[in-house]
């Protein structure tokens, strides 16, 4: 079985490498790039869809629609398109709307990337969100394949995924970008907690800014998450303000 990867950005190039330990992998992208020392074969878009009947789509969330429009005539009937976006309801909706009925669709979200999987993928989580267009065989095959790759497979609906991810990955990227605006510096008196804050900033800001914007825009639950954050911030500020007695000179400097 030759597995295809379409999109060779930060995540696609990483995922093609990971898959190559378990499958023969062909990869292609809109703007052809040359890579040194890679375990997969770079092919033209034409060859990718002619050769592979399982294709991982590894494009930015905001690029899914235009990618599918430009590729759909090349995808053979009976193929399976596996989306890997960090949100699930939006891309699955686009794929279901734009791909012909005889092409299968499976949603996945590997909950890691090149930074978090620097020591390998063993034990890391991957979400699978079957759509109305996922065959039982495809769910069974890929759940087992991901397990054999050492991943922890979590099956849930796209809606459940997005709700949970808004309050886990979404909030992390939001806080990371907030911290980035403060220009925080390392210091010899850094506490463990402070070092963890700096790590969050580094981990999230190492990803393209587009990922941050897309996570906030295309996960329909992040707006509620942001409102909860603002409410929580105001409540904490209120508590502090109430505890400061502005007439008592000893409590303020
Ligand atoms: O390891 C990395 O490079 C990542 O940024 C991975 C990360 C994240 O930690 O938020 C980013 C995008 C994916 O949706 C999953 C996880």
């Amino acid at each position: 079985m030759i597995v295809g990867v379409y999109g060779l950005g930060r995540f696609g190039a990483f995922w093609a490498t990971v898959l190559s330990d378990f499958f023969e992998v062909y990869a292609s992208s809109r703007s052809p790039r040359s890579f040194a020392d890679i375990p997969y074969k770079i092919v033209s878009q034409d060859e990718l869809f002619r050769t592979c009947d399982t294709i991982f789509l590894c494009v930015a969330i905001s690029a899914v629609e235009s990618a599918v429009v430009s590729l759909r005539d090349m995808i053979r009937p009976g193929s399976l398109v596996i989306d890997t976006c960090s949100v699930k309801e939006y891309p699955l909706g686009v794929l279901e709307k734009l791909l012909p009925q005889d092409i299968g669709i499976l949603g996945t979200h590997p909950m890691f990337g090149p930074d978090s999987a620097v020591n390998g993928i063993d034990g890391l989580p991957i979400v699978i969100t079957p759509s109305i267009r996922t065959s039982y065989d495809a769910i069974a095959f890929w759940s087992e394949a991901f397990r054999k790759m050492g991943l922890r497979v979590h099956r849930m609906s796209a809606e459940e995924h997005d709700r949970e991810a808004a309050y886990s990955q979404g909030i992390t990227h939001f806080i990371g970008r907030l911290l980035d605006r403060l220009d925080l510096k390392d210091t010899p008196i850094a506490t463990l907690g402070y070092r963890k804050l700096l790590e969050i900033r580094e981990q999230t800001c190492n990803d393209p800014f587009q990922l941050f914007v897309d996570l906030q825009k295309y996960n329909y639950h992040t707006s509620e998450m942001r409102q909860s954050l603002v409410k929580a911030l105001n409540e904490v500020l209120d508590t502090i303000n109430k505890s400061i007695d502005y007439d008592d000179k000893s409590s303020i400097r």
Side-chain angles (χ1 to χ4, degrees):
M1 176 181 186
I2 305 179
V3 169
V5 170
Y6 181 81
L8 284 168
R10 190 168 187 270
F11 177 75
F14 158 77
W15 191 232
T17 304
V18 168
L19 288 171
S20 299
D21 278 344
F22 307 89
F23 300 95
E24 189 174 351
V25 176
Y26 282 13
S28 184
S29 66
R30 198 164 22 187
S31 34
R33 290 162 60 190
S34 59
F35 294 86
D37 232 9
I38 45 169
Y40 50 89
K41 187 175 170 194
I42 304 269
V43 295
S44 66
Q45 298 183 12
D46 235 32
E47 189 177 352
L48 185 82
F49 292 101
R50 220 178 329 111
T51 317
C52 307
D53 52 19
T54 296
I55 304 105
F56 282 88
L57 193 59
C58 299
V59 298
I61 304 165
S62 45
V64 167
E65 182 162 3
S66 58
V68 174
V69 168
S70 76
L71 299 172
R72 64 182 157 183
D73 292 340
M74 283 185 250
I75 308 176
R76 282 180 294 131
S79 299
L80 176 69
V81 173
I82 307 184
D83 140 70
T84 59
C85 284
S86 305
V87 307
K88 294 274 54 83
E89 287 180 279
Y90 169 75
L92 288 178
V94 170
L95 293 175
E96 282 163 12
K97 189 176 78 182
L98 295 178
L99 286 180
Q101 289 292 330
D102 51 13
I103 294 172
I105 297 165
L106 171 66
T108 69
H109 183 192
M111 305 300 303
F112 49 86
D115 290 338
S116 39
V118 73
N119 295 318
I121 59 166
D122 215 33
L124 295 178
I126 185 165
V127 171
I128 66 167
T129 59
S131 97
I132 42 167
R133 300 262 296 274
T134 319
S135 69
Y136 176 79
D137 284 355
I139 299 172
F141 179 87
W142 281 102
S143 301
E144 189 50 23
F146 292 143
R147 270 187 209 107
K148 283 192 181 144
M149 289 165 69
L151 297 172
R152 244 184 319 119
V153 178
H154 294 265
R155 181 176 167 178
M156 56 179 78
S157 72
E159 204 265 343
E160 268 178 292
H161 166 276
D162 285 4
R163 185 172 291 282
E164 277 191 41
Y167 285 89
S168 50
Q169 185 186 29
I171 201 168
T172 309
H173 280 256
F174 192 85
I175 301 268
R177 293 288 166 177
L178 274 186
L179 293 173
D180 197 40
R181 295 185 84 95
L182 295 179
D183 196 26
L184 302 173
K185 302 264 187 311
D186 200 1
T187 154
I189 60 164
T191 57
L192 182 60
Y194 181 65
R195 266 190 259 127
K196 286 188 173 165
L197 271 190
L198 294 183
E199 268 175 37
I200 290 176
R201 180 186 64 182
E202 199 180 318
Q203 157 86 36
T204 51
C205 297
N206 216 7
D207 284 318
F209 191 69
Q210 189 65 53
L211 173 68
F212 167 62
V213 174
D214 286 355
L215 279 177
Q216 306 299 322
K217 179 173 170 188
Y218 293 98
N219 180 334
Y220 308 130
H221 304 275
T222 53
S223 113
E224 185 194 294
M225 175 276 288
R226 290 190 299 276
Q227 283 167 28
S228 309
L229 258 185
V230 171
K231 185 165 169 276
L233 175 68
N234 285 330
E235 283 167 3
V236 173
L237 288 175
D238 264 7
T239 311
I240 295 171
N241 285 335
K242 278 187 197 130
S243 78
I244 297 177
D245 178 354
Y246 286 98
D247 294 329
D248 172 7
K249 297 281 178 289
S250 67
S251 72
I252 42 173
R253 285 198 224 157

